[in-house]
Amino acid sequence: MRAIWTGAITFGLVNVPVKVYSATEDHDVALHQVHDADGGRIRYQRRCEIDGKIIPYEHISKAYDDGERTVVLTPEDLASLPAERSREIDVVEFVPNDQLDPIMFDRSYYLEPDSKSLKAYALLRKTLEDSERTAIVNFALRQKTRLGALRVRGDVLMLQTLLWNDEVREASFPALDEAPRITQRELDLSSALMESFAGDFEPEKFSDEYQDELRKLIEAKLEQGDAIDTAETFGEEEEKRSGGGEVIDLMEALQRSVERSRSGSSTSKASAKKSGGAKSDGAAKSSASKPAAKKASASSAAKPAEKKTAAKKKPA
């Protein structure tokens, strides 16, 4: 990973120099646009609408237009702003972890301690972890003043940018003004259905199905050309369509879902039991055949042994 920003966490007189790294990356297959007739690459050019010339990136500035006047802001103008020059992640307050609404989280970054500040870094991390609090911070990154949450993830301090309050939309839907009546039976069925899907979240179990299929399609076209059979490539079967206009009662839908979930779990248990039973039956047959063989050999070996046993039984 390459550091995208360097600065220092500050709270009070404490200063913790850090390097900032992007914590996430995009795994999507990179695609570009081409002309469908000849496969020629489509290029977008930065062309000036006045002189018609293609402008290199270093000669492009930003501007604000209020409808009547235009103000041009050069990269030097933007870099001169005090907030942009600041290299501090300033702690504003420490808040309980559960007070942060996940909808406010934006981008995530890892913070690496400077080699000279390892103790201060570890102390801040331990303090946050023990107090179960998150530090709310202010900092500037990429020509923007940002609000952030500084928290602990494993052994690393993580900085997550937060949306500003006015950037989060309020949900106002007239349909939610009505409160439908929910019966206890409906609630019980819904809870039973939810319980049938209950489990622990394991991110590694999930994959991006679309990207997997896209890679498979690309590999198939590289090997077979354009004349590929997608149905054969993906093993597609004719989709079973249920009545699109059919309206199922909520209670009926819940009941069916619970029954289907239960039958699915019982089927899997039965198959496991059956496979285990097959082994036990085979073992039983083999164990049964062994005593039979021993019994046959014992009966043919010596009858005096039977007399001796009988002699012992008489006194008893």
Side-chain angles (χ1 to χ4, degrees):
M1 293 191 294
R2 183 174 60 88
I4 63 171
W5 190 84
T6 57
I9 304 170
T10 61
F11 61 104
L13 298 177
V14 179
N15 187 288
V16 186
V18 292
K19 296 178 181 179
V20 180
Y21 298 83
S22 293
T24 60
E25 60 184 0
D26 191 356
H27 69 191
D28 290 357
V29 177
L31 302 175
H32 57 258
Q33 295 179 327
V34 296
H35 185 193
D36 61 354
D38 54 20
R41 184 81 175 262
I42 303 298
R43 304 283 184 180
Y44 291 93
Q45 299 174 331
R46 302 178 180 90
R47 190 179 298 275
C48 177
E49 66 178 12
I50 295 178
D51 59 16
K53 294 181 180 179
I54 298 174
I55 310 301
Y57 186 77
E58 59 268 19
H59 290 296
I60 295 178
S61 298
K62 296 181 179 180
Y64 173 78
D65 190 348
D66 65 359
E68 297 179 359
R69 297 168 299 176
T70 299
V71 177
V72 178
L73 300 171
T74 66
E76 291 75 18
D77 291 335
L78 297 174
S80 68
L81 296 176
E84 176 65 17
R85 296 199 309 269
S86 174
R87 289 287 169 176
E88 292 184 349
I89 302 174
D90 187 27
V91 176
V92 180
E93 58 186 357
F94 294 94
V95 301
N97 294 337
D98 57 5
Q99 287 189 359
L100 286 172
D101 188 343
I103 196 175
M104 298 189 69
F105 290 129
D106 191 11
R107 301 295 300 274
S108 299
Y109 301 92
Y110 289 134
L111 302 184
E112 179 191 18
D114 186 278
S115 58
K116 300 177 183 178
S117 65
L118 184 57
K119 186 172 183 179
Y121 182 97
L123 179 61
L124 176 58
R125 181 190 63 203
K126 182 65 174 173
T127 305
L128 287 172
E129 192 172 20
D130 291 348
S131 63
E132 297 184 353
R133 289 181 176 268
T134 297
I136 303 300
V137 299
N138 274 324
F139 66 104
L141 178 65
R142 293 172 175 169
Q143 299 179 351
K144 282 187 178 182
T145 301
R146 302 174 187 266
L147 186 67
L150 184 65
R151 64 183 186 86
V152 180
R153 186 177 190 268
D155 295 332
V156 181
L157 285 176
M158 171 170 280
L159 177 63
Q160 291 182 280
T161 57
L162 301 176
L163 298 173
W164 297 100
N165 186 61
D166 60 356
E167 293 180 319
V168 179
R169 294 175 174 176
E170 289 294 332
S172 178
F173 305 112
L176 297 179
D177 294 338
E178 300 178 9
R181 180 177 175 274
I182 299 176
T183 66
Q184 187 60 43
R185 176 62 177 164
E186 291 171 336
L187 189 59
D188 292 340
L189 284 173
S190 180
S191 299
L193 181 59
M194 183 183 69
E195 191 62 31
S196 67
F197 284 91
D200 295 323
F201 179 56
E202 300 174 12
E204 62 275 8
K205 293 192 306 184
F206 304 94
S207 62
D208 190 336
E209 185 178 354
Y210 179 83
Q211 292 299 320
D212 293 341
E213 292 176 351
L214 179 58
R215 288 184 175 89
K216 190 174 182 179
L217 176 62
I218 292 172
E219 291 174 2
K221 296 200 74 170
L222 288 173
E223 294 178 1
Q224 306 172 30
D226 292 334
I228 67 167
D229 186 347
T230 55
E232 182 180 348
T233 301
F234 296 104
E236 295 176 354
E237 298 179 358
E238 186 177 355
E239 295 183 0
K240 298 179 180 179
R241 297 184 180 179
S242 58
E246 182 182 1
V247 179
I248 302 177
D249 180 70
L250 178 59
M251 282 290 290
E252 183 182 354
L254 287 170
Q255 187 67 47
R256 286 186 188 180
S257 300
V258 172
E259 290 173 357
R260 180 184 297 179
S261 178
R262 288 175 179 172
S263 63
S265 60
S266 61
T267 302
S268 60
K269 289 180 181 178
S271 60
K273 186 176 180 181
K274 186 176 180 181
S275 61
K279 291 180 181 179
S280 61
D281 291 345
K285 288 178 181 178
S286 61
S287 61
S289 61
K290 288 179 181 178
K294 289 182 179 180
K295 187 175 181 181
S297 61
S299 59
S300 60
K303 290 182 179 180
E306 294 179 359
K307 291 180 180 180
K308 189 176 181 181
T309 304
K312 285 185 178 179
K313 285 182 178 179
K314 284 178 182 179

